[in-house]
Amino acid sequence: MQLAQDYESIELCSASGTEAEEILGFSGVSPSDRDLHLPVVLRSRSGSGFVLCRSVTAERGGEDPFGSGFEREEHHVIWTSRPQS
């Protein structure tokens, strides 16, 4: 998997039931630990993929994709999620 710094028209969402099963199966997470993880799907015109997270927060704003911390940029949380367990 390859992560990009810029995505065209990105869509970030929790995986559907079928997608979640595929992501969890691919990751090798044991069945007893699956409820501790959140499968997330990234879709865009420039490429798609998935990530398995413990929690996820999407923010809008800022110019520094790495958050270097030298100068505080304004960010707005647009979505946050974590496993229900």
Side-chain angles (χ1 to χ4, degrees), residues 15-64:
S16 69
T18 304
E19 291 170 323
E21 285 303 314
E22 183 179 343
I23 294 166
L24 288 163
F26 178 81
S27 71
V29 172
S30 68
S32 61
D33 289 336
R34 288 184 174 204
D35 60 346
L36 301 174
H37 296 82
L38 179 67
V40 177
V41 177
L42 304 157
R43 294 184 184 100
S44 78
R45 286 190 299 230
S46 58
S48 298
F50 60 83
V51 183
L52 191 59
C53 308
R54 295 294 290 235
S55 68
V56 63
T57 300
E59 298 178 339
R60 179 179 311 200
E63 296 294 322
D64 183 359

Side-chain angles (χ1 to χ4, degrees), residues 64 67-75:
D64 183 359
S68 62
F70 292 119
E71 199 170 305
R72 196 79 166 125
E73 296 180 293
E74 187 174 330
H75 295 269

